[in-house]
Amino acid sequence: MTEKKEKKFLTVAPFECAWRNDLKFQEAGRGCVAFEAFAHNDVTVVFRENVGSQHYHYKRDNSPHYTVIIGSNRNRRLKIQADGKTVVDVAGAGLCCSSAFLSYWISIYDGLISVGKGRYPFQNLVFQWLDSNPNCNVRYVGLSSWDKHVGYRNVNVLPLTQNHILLWKQVDCDRYAAEEDGDVKVKDEGTDYEKWGLGNFLECWELSDMFFIVGNEEKLVPAHKVILQATGSFPTSLTDKGIIQLQGVTYSILHALLQYIYTGRTQISEPQLGSLWALSSQFEVMPLVKQCEETMERFKLNKKLFDSGKNIELCYPSSWPHCMVFPFGLPINSQRLRQLQSTGGYTDVNIYIEGHGLVAHSHKIILSLWSVPFAKMFTNGMCESNSSDLHLRDVSLEAFKIMLEFMYSGELSIEDGLNFGSLLLQLLLLADQFGVTLLHQECCKLLFECFSEESVCPILQAVSPISSCKLIEETCERKFAMHFDYCTTASLDFVLLDGATFSSIIRHPDLTVTSEERVLNAILMWGMKAEELCGWEEVDELIIKLTSELIFKERLQSVNDLLPFVRFPLLPHALLKKLEDSNLGDRIPMFDNLVKEAVSFIEYGSAVPGSNQSVRFQHRRSSFKELQYICDGDSNGVLYFAGTSYGEHPWVNPVLAKRISITASSPISRFTDPKALASRTYQGTSFAGPRMEDGHNCSWWMIDIGQDHQLMCNYYTLRMDGSRAYLRFWNFQGSMDAQTWTNLRVHENDQTLCKPGQFASWPVIGPNALLPFRFFRVVLTGRTADVANPWNLCICLLELYGFFH
C-alpha cells in the first residue's frame, strides 16, 4: 500500500498551472489545501475565483487571485501576491524547497492567509498575512511552477471554520513556555496545552515520591524518582523513601539543576557555574555537565561573550528544539524511561481494566503529565489520590497499551494490520476521553491519511459525538457526499449514522449523484434502518402490510424532514407517475405533496407561483450525465460526447480537439496512432506495442478524459483491428492519477473476440462501477492469439459509457 501511495504524484511543467477538479474550497474564501511537493525552484500555489489558464504565467490573467510562492533552495524566501502585486516578501520563514518531497499547508480565511509546514494542516504555523481588502470569493486551487518542474502529491482540500484558526494556536508545536512556579496548578479541561508540561511539576509536592534536604536551613525540595532516574544517576533505591541530603549545596544550585531537568533550560550566575557543574557531575546529568564545561571554557577565552551581572542561560541542545512533546526537548533518556516503565521501576500506580485484570504498572506523574483527567484523579482527593490502584471500565486493552506507550515515548506506534482502522478509532476515543491532546491529534492525522469511500461511515459514527473532531467530521461528510452512490450502495453502514450527520450529507452542497432516485432510496433505507439494499419499490410493497410508523419508527419525522431535499422535478416523468400512484403517497403526505408538485411542474411549468425558484427544481452542479450503452458502435459514449464539445457542436475527433488524450505503451508511429482509437474509422493495423514494466511485458492503451471530468463507467466497447491478435487475458482499469489503478473488469481466457474488425462490449458491475475515475486503460495481462506478436494490443476503437461529470 505504501509503495503505491508514494508513486501518486502530479508533475507540473514550467510556467504552467494544474487545475484539478477536486481542488475547490467548499465555502468561497475559506479553505485549506495540504500537499507535499518537491522542486529545485519555487513551489507556487494559486487561489482564484474561477479556474484559471493552464498556461498561467504566459497568460498573465488579471482576474482576482492570491498567489503563494514558497522559496527555492537558492533564495529561501516566502512571497504572497494579491492580484499579481507582491504584498509579502520575507526571508526564510522556516520554508524551503527540495528535491525530496516536503509537506506544506496553506489556508485562507476571509483574507487571512496562513502558511505552515509538516504533513498535516493546522499545525506548525510559520507565517500569516491579513489582507486589508480581502478577497472572499477565491475558491479554486491551482498548482503551479516557475522555471523548473514541480512534483505534487497527497493534495487535499479541507473545509475551514473560525474554530480551526483558534486550533492552530492551541496545537502549534513551535512554541513552548515552561512555567517556573514551584506549585503545580491542575486546571480544567480547557488547559492551555502549550503551557502544560513537565515544568508544571517542578518542585511540586503533589505526586512526588522523594525529596532533597538542602542548605543550612535544611529546606525540603520535592521531586519524582522516575524523572530523575531517566535523567541521571541519583542515590535512590526502589524501596527507600527517597531522601537525598545535600550538604554544602545551596537551594539556588539545586533549583537550577531541577529546573534544567524539568524544563530543559535554566539560568545561573557565572560564579555559581562551577557549583552547578559539580552537582550535575555528582548525579551524572551529562548534558548539563557538558554545557557547564563548554560555557566555562568559553568564559575563560572571552569574558565579553557574557553580559556582566546577568545570568547565563543554559538550554538543553535537543534534536527537537521546538518540540514540546514529552520527553523531547528535555535531558531525559527516553530509552531509559521506557525501560523503567517496562520493568516497573519506581512505579506508583497499578492499572486494572475491567475484564482483563492488572494490565500495567505505571507512574502517576507520567499519566498526569499527558492527561488532566488523570492529574485530577491523583490530586483532588478522589479515591485514586490515596491508592496505588487505578480501575478503568469500558476501555480497549490494546488501545490503552498504545496510549501508555505514547505517554512514555512521545511517539505513536500502531501496526498497519487488519484491525488498524478500528484500533485507530478506539485510540482516538480513548485520547479524547482522557484528554491526551497530542495523541488525539496524531490519531486525527492518521485518519486523514486513511480516508476512503469505505471508511467514511465507520469514522463518522465514531467522531460525530466528539466536538474536537469537527474537522474530520466535515471532511468525511464531504467525501460521502461526493461519492454518494458508492457510499449508499457498496455497504449499509450509512443506515447507522445519526440523524444530524445523515441530514448534513443529504443537504451538502457537493452532493454528487447519478439520479435523484438514489437520494430517495438512500433516505428510505436510512429511515427504516434497512438490513439489505433495496429501492423505493420494495418499501412501497412493504408499506401495504405495515404502517409508516412501524416501518420508520422513531425516524419517521426525520424522513419527512429529508424528503424535500430530493429534487423530484429532475426525475423522469414516467417515474414520477409511478411514484404518484404508489402506496408511499397514500401513507406519507409529505411524499405525496412533493411528487404531485414535481408532476405539475413538468406538465404545466410550475406547481406553485415562484416554486421554480426553489433549489429542488434546479440541477445539481455536481450531478452526473448518463451516457448509456445502446449497441456496439453507437454514438452515446464518452469519446463521441467529447467530440461534440459535450453536446454543443458537430463531432470532430476529440483527440484532435484536445478534449481527451490517448496514450499507448509504445511510442507513436504509423500503426500506433492515438487519434485512431477515437476516429470511429476502421483501421487495418492499430496496436500498442509491449514495454517492460517491473520486469514484465506490459501493453496498454490509456484514455485521459480531462482534469475537469470524471466518469463512473458501467460499460465499455473495444473493436479489433484487421489482425488475428485476439485478446484473451486483459484488465479494464480506472484511476484518478494514472499511477494507482483499480480493476473494473478482469478478463481471464475471454473468447469473445474471434474476428478481425469485430466489435465487443462488456458491462462493468459491482461497487467499483460507482467510483468516478479520470483515467481508463485496457492492459494485457497475458498473450493474445497471435503467435508471432503475442504482446501487441491490437484494437482500433475504445469507447466508454456510464455517468459522466
Side-chain angles (χ1 to χ4, degrees), residues 260 264-266 273 276 288 291-292 295 312-316:
Y260 184 83
R265 61 183 64 203
T266 190
L273 197 56
L276 180 59
L288 183 55
Q291 277 195 278
C292 288
T295 305
I312 299 168
E313 184 168 345
L314 302 173
C315 298
Y316 174 61

Side-chain angles (χ1 to χ4, degrees), residues 26 37 40 59 696:
Q26 178 179 332
H40 293 287
K59 294 282 186 177
H696 301 285

Side-chain angles (χ1 to χ4, degrees), residues 67-253:
T67 303
V68 178
I69 305 170
I70 298 174
S72 71
N73 280 324
R74 289 183 296 176
N75 58 39
R76 292 180 178 272
R77 301 188 73 81
L78 172 67
K79 291 186 178 181
I80 300 177
Q81 297 176 346
D83 302 334
K85 297 180 180 178
T86 299
V87 292
V88 171
D89 185 357
V90 296
L95 300 166
C96 67
C97 301
S98 161
S99 57
F101 277 103
L102 296 179
S103 304
Y104 309 97
W105 59 268
I106 304 170
S107 73
I108 298 181
Y109 187 94
D110 295 345
L112 175 64
I113 298 180
S114 305
V115 184
K117 61 182 179 179
R119 286 193 301 162
Y120 309 103
F122 319 124
Q123 288 199 79
N124 298 333
L125 175 68
V126 298
F127 189 82
Q128 280 187 323
W129 172 75
L130 179 61
D131 190 353
S132 58
N133 185 24
N135 183 338
C136 297
N137 297 313
V138 292
R139 194 159 197 170
Y140 294 87
V141 181
L143 306 175
S144 187
S145 66
W146 188 240
D147 60 353
K148 292 184 180 180
H149 285 77
V150 176
Y152 295 91
R153 73 179 182 189
N154 294 333
V155 186
N156 292 289
V157 171
L158 304 171
L160 197 65
T161 68
Q162 180 66 40
N163 291 336
H164 303 140
I165 292 184
L166 296 177
L167 179 64
W168 299 340
K169 298 178 180 179
Q170 295 170 3
V171 305
D172 182 17
C173 291
D174 279 352
R175 293 172 295 178
Y176 171 74
E179 295 181 1
E180 300 179 3
D181 297 339
D183 297 322
V184 64
K185 298 177 182 177
V186 180
K187 304 177 184 178
D188 293 333
E189 279 75 6
T191 298
D192 185 350
Y193 205 82
E194 288 179 346
K195 299 178 181 179
W196 184 256
L198 189 57
N200 294 81
F201 297 90
L202 174 63
E203 298 182 22
C204 172
W205 282 102
E206 295 280 12
L207 307 181
S208 64
D209 53 2
M210 64 166 292
F211 58 90
F212 295 89
I213 300 176
V214 62
N216 295 329
E217 68 278 17
E218 295 188 343
K219 180 179 177 65
L220 298 181
V221 181
H224 306 83
K225 291 180 182 179
V226 63
I227 300 301
L228 298 186
Q229 295 299 349
T231 307
S233 179
F234 289 77
T236 59
S237 68
L238 296 175
T239 57
D240 68 20
K241 296 183 179 180
I243 301 173
I244 300 178
Q245 188 156 5
L246 298 177
Q247 295 181 348
V249 176
T250 63
Y251 166 73
S252 60
I253 301 298

Side-chain angles (χ1 to χ4, degrees), residues 514 624-629 636-638 710-716 769 800-805:
T514 55
F624 286 80
K625 176 180 178 62
E626 185 175 9
L627 301 174
Q628 186 177 8
Y629 168 80
N636 293 340
V638 172
Q710 296 177 355
L711 174 70
M712 295 181 185
C713 186
N714 59 21
Y715 235 99
Y716 79 102
L800 311 173
Y801 301 87
F803 295 96
F804 182 75
H805 174 51

Side-chain angles (χ1 to χ4, degrees), residues 231-232 260 280-281 283-293 331:
T231 307
Y260 184 83
S280 57
S281 299
F283 295 130
E284 299 180 14
V285 183
M286 300 315 295
L288 183 55
V289 170
K290 186 177 179 180
Q291 277 195 278
C292 288
E293 290 174 346

Side-chain angles (χ1 to χ4, degrees), residues 321-338:
H322 301 297
C323 187
M324 59 176 276
V325 181
F326 177 83
F328 304 117
L330 300 175
I332 290 177
N333 186 315
S334 57
Q335 185 176 356
R336 192 185 302 175
L337 182 66
R338 288 193 293 269

Side-chain angles (χ1 to χ4, degrees), residues 381-651:
M382 295 175 66
C383 59
E384 291 84 3
S385 301
N386 302 312
S387 172
S388 60
D389 295 334
L390 174 62
H391 295 270
L392 302 175
R393 300 177 59 188
D394 301 323
V395 169
S396 162
L397 173 61
E398 193 173 1
F400 183 82
K401 286 185 175 180
I402 295 173
M403 183 176 78
L404 198 61
E405 183 180 348
F406 177 84
M407 289 176 162
Y408 280 85
S409 67
E411 297 176 337
L412 176 58
S413 177
I414 180 171
E415 294 184 1
D416 191 0
L418 292 176
N419 66 336
F420 174 82
S422 60
L423 182 58
L424 182 59
L425 287 174
Q426 292 171 4
L427 192 59
L428 175 69
L429 296 174
L430 196 63
D432 180 75
Q433 177 183 349
F434 290 105
V436 188
T437 306
L438 295 178
L439 177 59
H440 183 278
Q441 293 169 15
E442 291 298 313
C443 292
C444 290
K445 296 171 186 178
L446 287 179
L447 281 178
F448 274 119
E449 288 186 342
C450 298
F451 274 155
S452 68
E453 295 80 9
E454 291 83 4
S455 66
V456 290
C457 286
I459 293 175
L460 275 172
Q461 291 175 54
V463 305
S464 56
I466 306 176
S467 59
S468 58
C469 291
K470 190 63 178 176
L471 176 63
I472 293 180
E473 184 180 6
E474 291 174 356
T475 306
C476 279
E477 288 175 355
R478 184 169 185 259
K479 185 83 169 180
F480 190 118
M482 294 181 69
H483 299 85
F484 189 84
D485 286 17
Y486 183 88
C487 292
T488 56
T489 307
S491 77
L492 285 171
D493 288 344
F494 77 96
V495 304
L496 302 176
L497 297 175
D498 63 77
T501 301
F502 187 67
S503 177
S504 295
I505 294 168
I506 294 295
R507 301 164 184 247
H508 204 284
D510 291 329
L511 183 67
T512 304
V513 292
T514 55
S515 167
E516 293 300 314
E517 187 178 2
R518 288 192 178 273
V519 183
L520 172 61
N521 290 340
I523 291 173
L524 296 177
M525 281 192 288
W526 176 84
M528 62 189 292
K529 298 182 182 178
E531 297 180 354
E532 60 182 23
L533 288 172
C534 62
W536 67 268
E537 298 96 332
E538 288 82 358
V539 183
D540 190 56
E541 293 179 6
L542 185 62
I543 209 168
I544 298 175
K545 306 173 185 178
L546 301 172
T547 65
S548 57
E549 288 80 5
L550 289 175
I551 292 175
F552 300 115
K553 298 179 181 176
E554 73 279 2
R555 290 185 174 181
L556 178 58
Q557 184 57 50
S558 296
V559 170
N560 276 292
D561 293 339
L562 292 172
L563 283 173
F565 293 95
V566 181
R567 303 188 181 186
F568 286 99
L570 305 185
L571 291 170
H573 183 261
L575 176 57
L576 282 172
K577 296 300 289 184
K578 288 183 180 180
L579 294 173
E580 189 176 29
D581 297 333
S582 69
N583 298 299
L584 285 168
D586 294 337
R587 303 296 179 89
I588 305 177
M590 174 64 73
F591 181 89
D592 186 52
N593 293 337
L594 291 168
V595 171
K596 287 181 177 178
E597 179 188 53
V599 171
S600 177
F601 176 77
I602 292 176
E603 293 179 349
Y604 304 109
S606 179
V608 179
S611 64
N612 60 339
Q613 302 300 318
S614 171
V615 68
R616 63 177 178 268
F617 292 85
Q618 301 171 12
H619 283 277
R620 298 182 190 272
R621 293 174 300 166
S622 55
S623 295
F624 286 80
K625 176 180 178 62
E626 185 175 9
L627 301 174
Q628 186 177 8
Y629 168 80
I630 302 297
C631 63
D632 295 342
D634 62 23
S635 300
N636 293 340
V638 172
L639 275 70
Y640 187 88
F641 187 54
T644 63
S645 299
Y646 312 111
E648 298 294 330
H649 301 102
W651 185 87

